[in-house]
Amino acid sequence: MATSAAGPVLIVGSGLIGRSWAMLFASGGFRVKLYDIEQQQITDALEIIRRDMKLLEQSGSLKGSLSAEQQLSLITGCLNIQEAVEGAMHIQECVPEDLELKKKIFAQLDGIVGDDVVLSSSTSCLLPSKLFAGLVHVKQCIVAHPVNPPYYLPLVELVPHPETAAATVDRTHALMQKIGQSPVRVLREVEGFVLNRLQYAVISEAWRLVQEGIVSPGDLDLVMSQGLGPRYAFIGPLETMHLNAEGTSSYCARYGESMKHVLKTFGPIPEFSGATAEKVHQAMCMKVPDDPEHLAARRRWRDQCLMRLAKLKSQMPSQ
Ligand code: NAI
């Protein structure tokens, strides 16, 4: 963990993801400037961060070695981009997922930053080659894609532009580790990066199985939450292969042909609309009605579960 007064780190956009980054960087002892175009957004964000940090402290789940008050004292709001950028060693952009808006912001930052700051985007799916095209400081640009909620799900996908310097990737990787996140290097940009490609593969097959009447929506989700999911919280699909036989080669020899046989029966990309969409929606609403209160309550429950799982994972002996 860094000691206090490291940084500062600049967060551009103080919504859901900007707030989470601010908390994570403060937990690592970094000074954080939270920039937004709306004063009200900044005021609200600082209040939400205060509330969340206090709750986390009470439940023993606050990250880092500093108290909530110490971490809160590291975070300040800022409405002036020029002032916000001053001295920043890392800039994490968190504005809405809109290519033109993000390009505008990076062009603005490009005009005022020096040569020693990392310009990082939280984008979920915009390609670095589109986001950072033509920037003078392109070597300092990278995507650092978090997973929601970033405070409990530590994965960060680092995706370089073809011209991003290796030092930028290394620096961002080290910074993410310093704040307790788990960075992975995506070696070449690809649509959906890695996490969403895996997620979409699972969603597609889940959808087809429901569409073909092979399993109900509720039971489909149980297959993941009671079967694959808990195992994947600790080991990935490749290590699963390795452990489910006498090593990966043995798994491929034993199960390769049957995997290929099943995979050949997979259908086309679903439309995600029509009768199946209605069926899935109805089933999900039976469990969680889609009004704001029920959805928010279920999200709070999910975050509590993830918080406990994160705690458990941190207590497990590493092997
Ligand atoms: P949000 O809508 O909660 O927050 C966006 C913030 O940006 C707002 O505070 C808004 O006032 C501010 N903003 C808008 N224009 C601005 C400008 N020109 N300059 C400065 N601030 C400006 O959005 P959210 O959910 O936090 O998403 C931010 C980014 O993070 C998006 O690129 C999204 O794809 C990515 N992301 C989101 C995840 C999620 O589950 N919400 C997960 C991983 C990444």
Side-chain angles (χ1 to χ4, degrees):
M1 284 284 153
T3 52
S4 65
V9 169
L10 168 61
I11 310 291
V12 178
S14 59
L16 179 71
I17 296 302
R19 293 195 303 268
S20 300
W21 278 122
M23 289 169 64
L24 287 167
F25 281 113
S27 78
F30 289 87
R31 277 181 293 128
V32 179
K33 290 190 206 170
L34 200 51
Y35 167 80
D36 206 294
I37 39 166
E38 303 260 352
Q39 178 57 54
Q40 193 56 48
Q41 282 291 119
I42 298 176
T43 308
D44 291 350
L46 292 173
E47 262 174 38
I48 296 169
I49 289 173
R50 169 167 288 278
R51 182 201 65 197
D52 287 356
M53 278 198 185
K54 291 285 179 185
L55 287 172
L56 286 163
E57 189 169 54
Q58 280 161 23
S59 65
S61 303
L62 187 71
K63 291 194 173 189
S65 53
L66 302 174
S67 70
E69 277 305 334
Q70 286 171 321
Q71 294 188 27
L72 286 164
S73 73
L74 294 173
I75 307 175
T76 50
C78 190
L79 254 185
N80 179 316
I81 189 71
Q82 199 88 35
E83 261 174 41
V85 163
E86 212 152 290
M89 38 92 64
H90 180 95
I91 299 178
Q92 188 69 39
E93 168 276 312
C94 312
V95 303
E97 191 78 344
D98 173 332
L99 178 60
E100 290 314 311
L101 173 64
K102 286 187 191 279
K103 278 174 72 171
K104 204 177 98 191
I105 287 182
F106 279 107
Q108 194 181 8
L109 292 170
D110 197 36
I112 51 179
V113 297
D115 295 337
D116 55 357
V117 58
V118 168
L119 299 173
S120 171
S121 173
S122 303
T123 182
S124 307
C125 58
L126 300 171
L127 292 179
S129 58
K130 297 224 166 81
L131 269 181
F132 307 132
L135 296 184
V136 173
H137 296 94
V138 63
K139 288 185 177 159
Q140 297 155 235
C141 293
I142 192 163
V143 164
H145 170 227
V147 188
N148 193 38
Y151 206 79
Y152 308 122
L153 293 176
L155 181 76
V156 179
E157 293 184 288
L158 302 182
V159 193
H161 179 281
E163 291 175 57
T164 298
T168 301
V169 183
D170 291 345
R171 229 175 105 178
T172 313
H173 193 274
L175 180 65
M176 292 299 142
Q177 285 186 323
K178 246 183 219 161
I179 61 170
Q181 297 301 88
S182 300
V184 295
R185 297 169 197 261
V186 180
L187 302 175
R188 213 174 51 238
E189 68 173 22
V190 61
E191 297 286 352
F193 310 149
V194 175
L195 181 134
N196 275 327
R197 290 180 83 87
L198 290 179
Q199 175 161 247
Y200 296 162
V202 170
I203 288 176
S204 286
E205 184 53 13
W207 200 268
R208 285 187 292 258
L209 288 167
V210 169
Q211 186 162 288
E212 287 162 22
I214 289 164
V215 67
S216 71
D219 279 357
L220 185 292
D221 271 0
L222 281 180
V223 171
M224 187 56 81
S225 64
Q226 301 297 326
L228 289 175
R231 189 163 61 196
Y232 284 165
F234 296 91
I235 59 170
L238 300 180
E239 191 178 343
T240 296
M241 292 167 76
H242 198 62
L243 299 187
N244 278 4
E246 302 313 309
T248 309
S249 304
S250 142
Y251 189 96
C252 292
R254 278 194 221 176
Y255 304 116
E257 283 310 313
S258 37
M259 274 196 295
K260 279 168 25 189
H261 173 75
V262 174
L263 284 165
K264 279 180 195 153
T265 68
F266 279 33
I269 298 170
E271 286 302 322
F272 301 112
S273 61
T276 308
E278 188 53 32
K279 182 175 174 180
V280 174
H281 184 72
Q282 292 295 335
M284 293 301 114
C285 285
M286 292 284 285
K287 194 170 184 185
V288 187
D290 64 347
D291 58 85
E293 289 75 28
H294 281 96
L295 289 172
R298 185 71 172 168
R299 288 188 194 111
R300 279 197 299 277
W301 173 81
R302 174 201 65 187
D303 291 353
Q304 287 288 322
C305 295
L306 291 172
M307 186 173 85
R308 298 249 187 117
L309 181 62
K311 217 175 199 175
L312 171 68
K313 287 185 70 156
S314 72
Q315 290 162 353
M316 291 299 291
S318 57
Q319 238 209 333

